[in-house]
Amino acid sequence: MNKTVNINLANTIFHIDEEAYNKLRRYLEAIKRSFAGTPGSDEILADIEARISELFYEKMENDRQVITQKEVDEVVAIMGQPEDYMVDEDIFEDEPRAKSTTTTSRVKKLYRDIDSKYIGGVCSGLEHYMGLDALWIRLIFIFLAIFTGFGFIAYILLWILVPEAATTSQKLDMKGEAVNISNIERKVKEGFDDVADKVKNADYEKMGNKVKSSGKTFFDTLGDIIMFLFKVAGKFIGILLIIIGAATMIGLFIGLFTVGVLDMIHIPGVDFYEMVNSTQAPVWLVSLLSFLAVGIPFFFLFYLGLKILVNNLRSIGNIAKFSLLGLWLIALIGLIILGVKQVSAHAFTGSISEKQVLAFESNIDTLRINMRSTELLDNIEHVRLNGMSVTYTDDGDRLLISDDILFDIKKSDDSLAHIKIRKDADGSSFNEARERAGAINYGYSIAGSTLLLDDFITTDAKNMVRDQEIRVTIYLPEGAVVSFDESAKGHIGRSTKNDHELYRSEIVDYTWALGNNGELKCQDCPEIIEDEILEDDNGRIIINEDGVDINIEDENDSFKLKIDEDGIKIKAKEKD
């Protein structure tokens, strides 16, 4: 059992076991002794501690993890030992150092170079990152800003999004150099050398530095204002992201456990899921996949809002990030597979047609068409899909039912009356679609001179919703007389034509005879009033098929109003 201690390294708290702590303490004391009397030693030590803290943080998987000797040895291997370099000034400038780790190359990170900046250090940072001279980068931004406006927007965005290289470690990362003791020392000493050179050359650079300093002061102030405004807007966006992400995740969580898993409350349409599901996937699985596919992006949206509001918020770790990403991909792929399977269930449409002779007991003068209903329509659930609903028989068995029934009247090819019933349904194959179409139940009957058509279709619930429908066509010989019951209103199809161009809902009010062209001719429609003339002493009003003709005059001919195809004419005489 090892004793652990808490240490504060570069303002970050770490839990470290006693043996590792003693080793790290000796290592830091050795480094401190090596830099004793060196200009900028305090800054060097601070940067070294910051780098060690950063390396420890990268190796930690959670907040409670304890730093062991293994992590300390790995950090020491990266940073280097004090004896691996020379900290004293070289006696001979041309003589190389015995050991050096400054040539170790790393992947460059994009920072803003605030030491060589004119405005925000964006172009100077891009120079280190891309290896292109900053002058050319500035010219490109100016060109794009003048001719497209994009350069200005891009610069502002990079100014806001790219961090500045403030610490020695960040400056080394910006140039792709290894962040170890040797390079940190060299970088800090270069800074002191630059200061010394500037002091020596103050007389020569006084005017240039003054102009540059004035420009930096203006742009720094402008940058501070812009950054403040964007920080305020960013905080608002962060709050908005937290609210959206949290509300969505809570809703998904409630939906998952109430509908998908526990079914604690009965929501209309949950039972109907089985009627439309062709994948055979249980509702809890679809709910879980939907929860992951939608909830994980909104979780990261919520986490992004927290990162915006809380500056020092700890990362959830790469393991958690990649695990969530993997779950999201699995859920997304699963939903895509289920969706493709669901769509494939409607890939084919099969039809079955039945045509029969209408056998009446005796010759009839007028065929009467009625629609008959069923009590099953009174027990339907108020959820419809493609016109289908769920109903229950007296025995409690579930049926799919639809009242979307249309029939048309057409001319027969012979002297007999026929009825044709076409049943349609979808399926994953043509044969399956035909079998499902054949399972549709629809009936009719003849009572004297009345043809009774069902105004509904039914099919077993196991056939599921597959766009089941029927179309009824009644073929009558030329000259046959037909009338409709009020129940037929709304069930007459668009293919039924009439000589008065009445709406389908108005056809049921009259008696019709089938013409030789298959068009219904009205037998008892009221005569159309062709002319209506109203006359009096002051003028006339004529309404006929040619339009409206109004001509009004007073008895003294002092006023005239005429409205006809030529327009409106008004004439008035002044009184004597």
Side-chain angles (χ1 to χ4, degrees):
M1 182 173 62
N2 295 330
K3 180 180 178 181
T4 62
V5 295
N6 295 332
I7 62 172
N8 187 334
L9 195 63
N11 296 323
T12 304
I13 302 298
F14 293 99
H15 306 290
I16 183 170
D17 66 40
E18 189 173 15
E19 295 180 357
Y21 167 73
N22 291 330
K23 188 170 187 177
L24 177 63
R25 179 175 54 79
R26 290 193 298 268
Y27 176 71
L28 291 176
E29 289 176 353
I31 294 175
K32 186 176 182 179
R33 288 193 301 269
S34 299
F35 287 105
T38 303
S41 59
D42 292 338
E43 184 178 351
I44 294 174
L45 292 173
D47 286 333
I48 290 173
E49 288 189 5
R51 178 55 179 167
I52 294 175
S53 174
E54 179 183 344
L55 292 173
F56 279 157
Y57 185 82
E58 291 177 354
K59 295 179 180 300
M60 292 181 60
E61 297 181 356
N62 55 69
D63 295 340
R64 297 182 178 274
Q65 181 175 339
V66 177
I67 302 298
T68 64
Q69 289 193 64
K70 177 183 177 183
E71 285 77 24
V72 174
D73 291 337
E74 291 175 353
V75 170
V76 171
I78 295 174
M79 297 297 296
Q81 295 285 350
E83 61 269 17
D84 290 340
Y85 57 91
M86 298 175 61
V87 297
D88 295 331
E89 296 292 336
D90 294 333
I91 299 175
F92 302 101
E93 295 182 357
D94 295 337
E95 182 179 352
R97 294 183 177 186
K99 294 182 182 180
S100 176
T101 57
T102 58
T103 57
T104 304
S105 61
R106 302 174 72 243
V107 177
K108 295 180 180 179
K109 295 182 180 180
L110 181 58
Y111 288 97
R112 289 187 290 113
D113 187 359
I114 57 176
D115 294 332
S116 304
K117 71 175 182 178
Y118 277 94
I119 299 179
V122 173
C123 296
S124 300
L126 290 173
E127 177 183 21
H128 296 295
Y129 188 76
M130 301 172 61
L132 184 65
D133 191 275
L135 175 61
W136 293 107
I137 298 176
R138 292 186 178 103
L139 291 176
I140 292 173
F141 273 108
I142 293 173
F143 177 83
L144 293 176
I146 294 175
F147 292 99
T148 66
F150 175 75
F152 176 76
I153 298 174
Y155 191 92
I156 294 296
L157 290 176
L158 289 173
W159 192 357
I160 295 170
L161 299 176
V162 177
E164 65 180 27
T167 66
T168 303
S169 298
Q170 290 173 337
K171 293 176 182 179
L172 292 173
D173 279 335
M174 178 177 64
K175 295 182 178 181
E177 299 179 9
V179 186
N180 51 33
I181 298 175
S182 174
N183 285 339
I184 290 175
E185 175 211 2
R186 177 179 56 81
K187 196 66 179 176
V188 173
K189 292 176 66 177
E190 286 177 356
F192 278 91
D193 293 340
D194 291 341
V195 173
D197 291 340
K198 288 182 179 178
V199 172
K200 294 177 182 178
N201 300 326
D203 293 337
Y204 302 99
E205 298 180 356
K206 183 176 182 180
M207 296 303 298
N209 288 338
K210 184 177 181 181
V211 174
K212 187 174 180 180
S213 176
S214 300
K216 287 184 177 182
T217 301
F218 168 76
F219 286 113
D220 287 343
T221 304
L222 178 61
D224 292 340
I225 295 173
I226 294 175
M227 290 298 294
F228 173 76
L229 295 176
F230 273 97
K231 284 180 180 179
V232 173
K235 298 297 182 183
F236 175 77
I237 294 174
I239 295 174
L240 191 63
L241 293 179
I242 290 175
I243 294 174
I244 294 174
T248 303
M249 287 191 294
I250 291 173
L252 290 172
F253 188 80
I254 294 174
L256 172 65
F257 280 89
T258 57
V259 179
V261 179
L262 302 179
D263 196 16
M264 296 171 56
I265 57 176
H266 180 76
I267 299 177
V270 175
D271 293 340
F272 200 72
Y273 167 80
E274 300 178 6
M275 306 303 167
V276 299
N277 178 30
S278 61
T279 64
Q280 305 302 320
V283 65
W284 66 265
L285 177 60
V286 178
S287 299
L288 179 61
L289 294 178
S290 301
F291 175 80
L292 294 175
V294 180
I296 290 177
F298 277 95
F299 167 77
F300 280 106
L301 201 67
F302 174 80
Y303 180 71
L304 177 61
L306 288 178
K307 292 283 286 186
I308 294 175
L309 290 180
V310 183
N311 294 328
N312 59 347
L313 181 68
R314 294 185 65 88
S315 173
I316 62 175
N318 291 331
I319 295 178
K321 290 179 182 177
F322 286 110
S323 298
L324 289 175
L325 178 60
L327 287 175
W328 180 76
L329 291 174
I330 292 173
L332 188 63
I333 294 173
L335 288 177
I336 291 174
I337 293 174
L338 293 178
V340 171
K341 191 174 181 180
Q342 180 71 28
V343 172
S344 65
H346 297 264
F348 297 88
T349 299
S351 300
I352 292 180
S353 297
E354 301 174 358
K355 188 174 183 180
Q356 299 175 350
V357 176
L358 292 175
F360 296 97
E361 296 179 357
S362 60
N363 294 331
I364 58 174
D365 296 330
T366 302
L367 173 63
R368 182 77 172 174
I369 298 179
N370 287 17
M371 306 297 294
R372 61 184 180 188
S373 188
T374 176
E375 294 180 355
L376 293 174
L377 291 172
D378 300 331
N379 302 325
I380 64 173
E381 295 185 355
H382 297 288
V383 178
R384 297 174 64 91
L385 182 64
N386 293 334
M388 302 293 290
S389 299
V390 177
T391 188
Y392 295 87
T393 65
D394 295 337
D395 298 329
D397 297 329
R398 284 190 295 182
L399 291 176
L400 290 175
I401 190 169
S402 173
D403 58 357
D404 183 18
I405 307 299
L406 296 177
F407 68 88
D408 287 299
I409 305 296
K410 293 187 177 181
K411 183 175 176 293
S412 176
D413 295 333
D414 51 29
S415 59
L416 300 177
H418 303 266
I419 184 171
K420 179 181 177 181
I421 300 175
R422 191 191 72 190
K423 303 177 181 179
D424 298 331
D426 292 343
S428 57
S429 65
F430 183 71
N431 290 333
E432 179 185 328
R434 282 179 55 86
E435 291 177 1
R436 189 170 278 113
I440 298 175
N441 301 315
Y442 182 78
Y444 70 93
S445 62
I446 298 175
S449 60
T450 301
L451 175 62
L452 299 172
L453 300 175
D454 288 348
D455 66 353
F456 63 94
I457 62 172
T458 61
T459 187
D460 195 278
K462 67 180 182 181
N463 295 315
M464 296 182 287
V465 178
R466 293 296 181 270
D467 293 335
Q468 290 95 335
E469 65 178 13
I470 70 151
R471 286 297 176 261
V472 179
T473 305
I474 301 172
Y475 295 92
L476 299 177
E478 181 181 348
V481 179
V482 60
S483 64
F484 304 93
D485 185 74
E486 187 71 18
S487 60
K489 182 179 293 186
H491 294 282
I492 301 176
R494 295 181 180 274
S495 298
T496 301
K497 306 298 181 182
N498 65 87
D499 61 347
H500 280 59
E501 297 184 357
L502 296 178
Y503 290 111
R504 291 177 293 165
S505 60
E506 298 174 340
I507 293 178
V508 299
D509 297 329
Y510 307 105
T511 302
W512 305 84
L514 192 64
N516 58 359
N517 58 353
E519 185 180 62
L520 294 178
K521 298 184 178 299
C522 189
Q523 303 298 299
D524 53 359
C525 293
E527 294 292 334
I528 298 177
I529 301 176
E530 296 184 355
D531 295 326
E532 181 178 354
I533 301 176
L534 303 176
E535 296 185 357
D536 55 25
D537 294 338
N538 295 328
R540 71 177 186 275
I541 298 176
I542 301 177
I543 303 176
N544 56 26
E545 66 274 8
D546 297 327
V548 180
D549 186 1
I550 300 176
N551 192 349
I552 301 176
E553 301 179 9
D554 64 2
E555 58 184 2
N556 298 322
D557 198 25
S558 61
F559 174 80
K560 292 183 178 180
L561 172 62
K562 185 175 183 180
I563 302 176
D564 56 15
E565 60 184 3
D566 297 327
I568 303 175
K569 295 180 181 180
I570 301 176
K571 181 179 180 181
K573 293 182 179 180
E574 296 181 0
K575 295 183 178 179
D576 296 335

